[in-house]
Amino acid sequence: MCAKVVAKKAASKKAVVKKAPAKTVALKKAGPKAAGGKKVEKDEPEEKVYGNYDLVVVESPSKAKTIKKYLGKGYQVVASNGHIKDLPKSKLGVDVKDDFALDLVPITGKKDKIERIQELAKHANIIYLAPDMDREGEAIAFHLAEEIGKKKTIHRVVFNAVTKTAVKHAIDNPTVLNQPMYDSQKTRRVLDRLVGYKISPILWDKVQRGISAGRVQSVALRVIVDREDQIKAFISEKWFSIQGELEKKNINFEVRYYGEEQNKKTDLDGAAGEKLAKKVVADIKGKSLKVIEVKKKERKQNPTAPFTTSKLQQEAANKLGFTAKRTMMVAQMLYEGVQLRDHGLQGLITYMRTDSVRTEPEAMKSVRDYVKKKYGKDFLSAEEIVYKKKGTSKVQDAHEAIRPTNLEFTPDEVRGDLDPDQQKLYELIWNKFISSQMSPAVIDQTSVTFEAGGHFFKSNGSIVKFPGFRTVYLDSIAEKQSRKDEDAEDTDEPKTGLLPDISEGETFAQKKGIESEEHWTSPPPRFNEASLVKALEEDGIGRPSTYAAIISNIQDRGYVEKIENRFIPTELGSVVCKMLVESFPDVMDIEFTAKVEEMLDKIEEGDISWKKVLREFWKGFEVALEKAKDEMKNLKKQSIPTGVHCRKCADGEYQIKWGKNGQFFACSNYPDCNSTEDFKKSLDGTLTIVEKVFADDPCPTCGKRMAIKKGKYGKFLACEDYPQCATTAPFTINVQCPLCKIGKFAEKKSRFGKLFYGCSNYPACSNAMWTKPYAFDCASCGHPVMGEKFTKKNGKQLECPKCRHKVDMADTPFGVVDEESVAIVEA
């Protein structure tokens, strides 16, 4: 405060800033988002500034608006729009021979922004640098300070929430720039640059031009590829279960075989299990089951901590169907400020990049008062529940957990001011935080053991006696249910449900004959958004704030595709991953990557020198690079004989070659014979030619057949007489565009690899759908086209793109779910 007052008094003359013409800076696509992973927004028209003022520099225009409203006159607030400086794109930018000296340059398109900040800073009394409180934010603050210069009074301010109280408290209690945190960010940036810029050219030379490697993304790819290898290597085994149904007082309940001894479970696996299952069913046929033991136990289910970043991403994926990227984008909006009709701009949640489960004392008091008033003292935990994060890192506990900033802004209060995504995520965060200080749920669990013919059966049930925190939030229910669904074929435990009042000595006749059922063990499931985030967190790969970018990157690069909400490695992804594991075992090692994250934490805590970490990394990495250049197999030059005869010439044999779209068959007599074929490989290694599929319409140029092909941007049609005839056309499905009524929907891929369906009359008609269209009239609004949707819960449905009305696919002329889709999801 003293420095601020002295600086203001020293500015006796009024500073006059030259009039800045109102303009909007158009940011290029390769701007700050590419450099730092931060959200990019367009600037608002610049204000004309006169007189004495303090300058506050933040990251985003939306946050700038909110903070300007809180601070009022005497302050100017400007946004940097993310990073302003980064390593150059055209070269490495890291001099390893000069002890890792960095060549940081202004990001393309940021010149006007930097000049604007410099001009405002020149006439400001005090400058407050207020980017986000994470490593990237600290780097932005350092870069801003470098561009502004050392002649000005510069302070660093951080706040956990964009609220009036938090912002004013931060301004009144400024701090200094955090050098260790910036060093940690530089280390992370240099490591990423060294791996990306040194390995990628090798992949260009050995596999195909344009592909790339990333330090963390490549390890995340390995996690997915390893899971796919486990699935392919999995050998399913047969097992049996025995179950039936009993009834008392009109309450039906399930009973399942437990074993040959009352207190020892018997597995029914393989041929021996099948034999025993038949014997058990025969022994108890027509017999009553006698209750020999009833166990009742009261247990308490405790609430869990407010959200960390990773838990929010997992729960939003499970409950809302959000991707990690979508969750972080919506959370950023809620944090930076939303316009409320009765309250103006308000930041609704605390900082959304955090590993902490702490709650500040003021917020703790506020939430406990709210619970007591809203739900009554019985629903409030007897004492404050203080949650602790596993591990001892100070870095991970630097911020609060994610929570609402003000409990006056209930979900009902802000309804209508938030868009649907914001409302859903805000309610999720709100309910999780409120439930975290509520009383435990009390549950009565009952386990009944039956005997018949010398064999033992069990039935389980539970009743919620007191809901406690479950009144507000059924914590992780979606995640647990998802696991149960995935593993449903791998359990023979009795289902938990409602049981009637049962006493020892009672006997029950079989309502339905007790029968055995055959099952097959299932491989581990492929990752979805939630389970992949969970795996990355458990393995220590990256940080929660980077998960969204990691998952997006491996999809954008064509290494992984998402089919029915499950991540599956592409052929390119599998090949690149295995080549990298072979040539760069350290970089691709999960434990090594986790250790790097620990080292970054230690740098931030000031326990280790950032250049020491880089020197040690480079020592081994440089050797691996030179070895890979010589020893990594060159797929471009590789020709693998197959023993399959060429279909076009007499004496040719197909060889496996690698092209820009993966592997294919090519005749050994090339260039005399240019025959190529697509092929597929079965699990036993058998190679089979994939027969070409032709469109109904002939080639418009030569009249020959048009083959359906797959390219970088999806399916397309190409003349079978290529290269003599190079005619191509978009691949369309037989559904007319309802907008222009001229074109048909064509299957395409976005530049990020996502499949969509666009009108073939583009650019005259820009109609497009993300789901496969079907010519089917919506029963609700009459729209002539509906899109295909598939969820494990509801199966395959058609959904209207206009009114969102849904209908089961089985109730349409298009049939039921195809077996391949089901197999992909269940695997």
Side-chain angles (χ1 to χ4, degrees):
M1 284 294 290
C2 291
K4 179 179 174 183
V5 173
V6 171
K8 281 192 170 181
K9 285 183 177 178
S12 55
K13 293 184 180 179
K14 286 191 174 182
V16 180
V17 177
K18 294 178 182 179
K19 293 183 179 181
K23 63 179 180 178
T24 300
V25 180
L27 297 173
K28 294 185 179 179
K29 286 180 181 176
K33 185 173 181 182
K38 296 287 181 181
K39 184 182 162 193
V40 178
E41 299 177 69
K42 291 185 179 179
D43 281 339
E44 293 298 311
E46 295 170 358
E47 295 180 20
K48 298 173 184 178
V49 181
Y50 305 95
N52 284 325
Y53 61 87
D54 292 343
L55 177 65
V56 181
V57 188
V58 296
E59 283 188 48
S60 72
S62 59
K63 193 195 289 187
K65 279 187 202 173
T66 310
I67 292 173
K68 172 64 177 170
K69 174 200 162 193
Y70 293 155
L71 295 177
K73 292 181 180 180
Y75 290 90
Q76 288 301 322
V77 186
V78 64
S80 69
N81 289 88
H83 281 269
I84 59 168
K85 293 169 73 175
D86 192 29
L87 297 171
K89 288 197 165 189
S90 57
K91 59 180 182 178
L92 183 64
V94 180
D95 192 344
V96 293
K97 293 179 180 178
D98 189 17
D99 206 18
F100 303 96
L102 307 187
D103 179 18
L104 293 169
V105 298
I107 291 170
T108 307
K110 283 301 186 79
K111 185 180 177 184
D112 288 347
K113 172 58 66 180
I114 293 170
E115 289 176 355
R116 166 71 173 162
I117 293 171
Q118 288 172 332
E119 184 68 19
L120 286 168
K122 189 191 300 183
H123 301 285
N125 300 321
I126 301 176
I127 298 160
Y128 297 97
L129 303 179
D132 287 346
M133 54 186 4
D134 57 7
R135 290 171 189 163
E136 298 302 320
E138 201 64 32
I140 293 170
F142 266 86
H143 298 160
L144 286 166
E146 288 169 3
E147 293 302 312
I148 290 169
K150 297 181 179 179
K151 294 180 182 179
K152 286 289 180 181
T153 304
I154 297 177
H155 294 301
R156 176 76 165 108
V157 293
V158 293
F159 34 80
N160 187 48
V162 187
T163 63
K164 191 171 185 176
T165 303
V167 171
K168 287 195 170 183
H169 182 268
I171 294 292
D172 291 342
N173 299 274
T175 62
V176 295
L177 291 166
N178 187 331
Q179 185 68 51
M181 184 181 274
Y182 179 40
D183 289 344
S184 180
Q185 189 273 344
K186 283 190 291 187
T187 309
R188 194 274 309 163
R189 189 74 188 95
V190 171
L191 288 172
D192 289 351
R193 177 55 65 101
L194 290 174
V195 171
Y197 271 55
K198 291 294 185 180
I199 295 181
S200 296
I202 300 175
L203 293 177
W204 287 25
D205 182 51
K206 307 286 187 179
V207 185
Q208 71 181 51
R209 191 169 181 82
I211 64 175
S212 59
R215 180 181 64 86
V216 180
Q217 291 90 336
S218 296
V219 182
L221 171 64
R222 181 179 183 175
V223 171
I224 296 172
V225 171
D226 285 352
R227 176 59 61 88
E228 195 68 21
D229 289 343
Q230 291 171 17
I231 292 170
K232 288 178 180 176
F234 184 83
I235 299 173
S236 189
E237 296 179 355
K238 185 165 62 172
W239 62 276
F240 293 82
S241 67
I242 305 171
Q243 59 278 319
E245 195 174 279
L246 307 181
E247 183 263 339
K248 181 180 180 181
K249 295 181 179 178
N250 296 321
I251 298 176
N252 296 329
F253 57 97
E254 185 185 65
V255 63
R256 287 204 172 203
Y257 172 73
Y258 182 75
E260 295 302 287
E261 298 178 28
Q262 182 177 345
N263 298 312
K264 185 177 178 181
K265 193 171 184 298
T266 302
D267 294 323
L268 299 173
D269 299 334
E274 182 176 12
K275 184 178 179 182
L276 179 56
K278 287 179 180 177
K279 181 180 184 304
V280 171
V281 171
D283 287 350
I284 65 168
K285 187 174 183 180
K287 291 183 179 178
S288 295
L289 281 74
K290 183 179 180 181
V291 179
I292 60 170
E293 184 180 52
V294 178
K295 284 185 179 178
K296 291 186 178 181
K297 182 180 178 183
E298 182 182 278
R299 75 173 182 91
K300 291 184 178 181
Q301 182 183 7
N302 294 316
T304 52
F307 283 127
T308 59
T309 303
S310 65
K311 294 300 182 197
L312 177 62
Q313 291 172 348
Q314 292 173 52
E315 204 76 337
N318 278 324
K319 291 194 172 185
L320 307 179
F322 285 9
T323 63
K325 185 176 181 180
R326 183 177 172 189
T327 298
M328 295 307 291
M329 183 181 70
V330 176
Q332 182 100 22
M333 295 179 205
L334 295 173
Y335 164 69
E336 291 180 348
V338 179
Q339 185 73 37
L340 305 182
R341 60 188 177 278
D342 297 327
H343 306 280
L345 275 169
Q346 296 288 342
L348 293 179
I349 65 170
T350 53
Y351 193 53
M352 65 287 161
R353 296 186 183 96
T354 177
D355 285 349
S356 174
V357 291
R358 283 192 304 107
T359 298
E360 292 292 348
E362 296 84 355
M364 179 72 79
K365 183 180 184 306
S366 178
V367 68
R368 290 183 65 81
D369 289 345
Y370 179 88
V371 171
K372 188 175 181 180
K373 183 178 179 182
K374 172 85 173 174
Y375 299 100
K377 67 178 182 179
D378 289 343
F379 285 84
L380 179 67
S381 63
E383 296 178 352
E384 288 185 3
I385 305 176
V386 179
Y387 296 98
K388 291 184 179 179
K389 180 80 174 179
K390 290 180 181 178
T392 57
S393 172
K394 297 173 189 174
V395 173
Q396 291 189 353
D397 201 43
H399 320 310
E400 273 192 88
I402 304 169
R403 61 169 176 82
T405 56
N406 190 333
L407 296 186
E408 290 181 17
F409 303 135
T410 65
D412 287 338
E413 176 69 19
V414 299
R415 198 178 304 279
D417 295 328
L418 308 186
D419 67 33
D421 280 4
Q422 291 171 345
Q423 183 73 32
K424 289 175 187 174
L425 196 67
Y426 185 60
E427 286 187 13
L428 197 69
I429 294 167
W430 173 279
N431 292 338
K432 188 70 155 67
F433 179 60
I434 298 298
S435 72
S436 70
Q437 288 298 317
M438 294 180 72
S439 55
V442 181
I443 299 170
D444 264 350
Q445 286 187 321
T446 303
S447 175
V448 183
T449 303
F450 301 83
E451 185 272 333
H455 309 290
F456 296 89
F457 295 77
K458 282 199 175 185
S459 188
N460 294 334
S462 62
I463 298 173
V464 178
K465 283 174 64 177
F466 178 70
F469 76 93
R470 291 166 61 112
T471 305
V472 176
Y473 193 87
L474 300 181
D475 185 66
S476 298
I477 288 296
E479 184 181 351
K480 290 174 183 175
Q481 189 58 48
S482 175
R483 283 203 298 271
K484 283 180 184 176
D485 288 344
E486 290 167 355
D487 301 333
E489 290 298 307
D490 289 333
T491 178
D492 59 349
E493 289 299 314
K495 292 180 182 177
T496 299
L498 184 66
L499 289 178
D501 187 23
I502 299 175
S503 304
E504 289 184 18
E506 282 190 77
T507 58
F508 290 84
Q510 300 177 31
K511 184 176 182 183
K512 290 182 180 176
I514 292 178
E515 297 177 348
S516 68
E517 187 176 344
E518 179 182 294
H519 306 269
W520 289 88
T521 54
S522 300
R526 291 184 174 98
F527 291 108
N528 58 20
E529 284 276 343
S531 59
L532 181 56
V533 166
K534 190 170 186 286
L536 294 177
E537 182 182 33
E538 288 176 348
D539 290 335
I541 299 170
R543 278 283 174 262
S545 57
T546 64
Y547 295 158
I550 291 169
I551 294 169
S552 291
N553 281 339
I554 56 178
Q555 290 180 85
D556 295 346
R557 290 172 178 175
Y559 294 153
V560 168
E561 56 187 355
K562 205 173 182 183
I563 299 177
E564 305 293 5
N565 204 34
R566 297 281 172 173
F567 292 107
I568 300 176
T570 61
E571 186 178 7
L572 176 64
S574 295
V575 168
V576 168
C577 176
K578 282 160 187 175
M579 291 174 72
L580 290 176
V581 169
E582 196 174 302
S583 297
F584 300 96
D586 280 350
V587 173
M588 294 296 289
D589 180 57
I590 292 172
E591 287 186 14
F592 177 80
T593 306
K595 285 178 184 175
V596 170
E597 294 298 336
E598 291 175 10
M599 297 303 287
L600 294 177
D601 285 347
K602 287 183 178 179
I603 294 169
E604 186 173 332
E605 291 170 6
D607 294 339
I608 191 171
S609 162
W610 70 286
K611 288 194 175 180
K612 181 182 178 183
V613 172
L614 290 175
R615 289 187 208 110
E616 290 179 359
F617 172 80
W618 179 252
K619 193 188 302 180
F621 184 58
E622 188 178 25
V623 174
L625 279 172
E626 295 305 316
K627 190 177 178 183
K629 289 175 185 176
D630 297 330
E631 298 181 8
M632 184 184 280
K633 62 183 177 184
N634 193 322
L635 293 183
K636 288 182 177 180
K637 298 177 181 177
Q638 192 178 49
S639 295
I640 303 173
T642 64
V644 180
H645 293 296
C646 177
R647 289 182 167 185
K648 200 169 185 180
C649 66
D651 59 344
E653 176 191 342
Y654 283 124
Q655 297 177 327
I656 296 175
K657 296 270 191 180
W658 186 268
K660 62 181 181 179
N661 294 318
Q663 292 178 315
F664 64 98
F665 277 173
C667 182
S668 58
N669 286 334
Y670 180 84
D672 295 328
C673 177
N674 60 9
S675 176
T676 61
E677 297 285 350
D678 293 327
F679 73 94
K680 62 182 178 180
K681 187 175 183 179
S682 63
L683 291 177
D684 63 4
T686 305
L687 302 173
T688 309
I689 292 175
V690 177
E691 298 298 333
K692 288 186 174 70
V693 180
F694 297 95
D696 295 334
D697 298 328
C699 173
T701 306
C702 68
K704 292 192 175 180
R705 295 179 300 176
M706 294 288 281
I708 299 172
K709 301 249 181 194
K710 275 188 178 180
K712 183 179 179 182
Y713 295 105
K715 291 180 183 177
F716 67 98
L717 302 180
C719 181
E720 68 173 329
D721 201 27
Y722 179 85
Q724 281 70 32
C725 178
T727 302
T728 60
F731 173 75
T732 61
I733 57 179
N734 194 27
V735 179
Q736 188 180 56
C737 173
L739 194 61
C740 68
K741 295 182 172 56
I742 297 172
K744 292 182 178 180
F745 281 105
E747 185 178 301
K748 301 179 181 181
K749 274 189 181 178
S750 71
R751 63 192 179 96
F752 299 117
K754 189 173 180 182
L755 190 71
F756 73 99
Y757 298 85
C759 181
S760 60
N761 195 27
Y762 180 84
C765 177
S766 58
N767 190 23
M769 293 176 64
W770 287 111
T771 55
K772 184 178 179 180
Y774 284 81
F776 190 77
D777 292 343
C778 173
S780 179
C781 69
H783 191 67
V785 172
M786 296 182 76
E788 177 184 284
K789 293 271 286 186
F790 185 92
T791 61
K792 194 162 186 180
K793 181 180 179 181
N794 299 317
K796 189 170 277 192
Q797 296 178 311
L798 292 182
E799 181 183 79
C800 177
K802 288 190 72 177
C803 71
R804 302 300 176 191
H805 173 72
K806 295 182 181 71
V807 60
D808 289 339
M809 185 73 89
D811 297 332
T812 71
F814 307 110
V816 294
V817 181
D818 59 280
E819 292 180 4
E820 185 179 356
S821 295
V822 174
I824 288 173
V825 174
E826 292 191 343

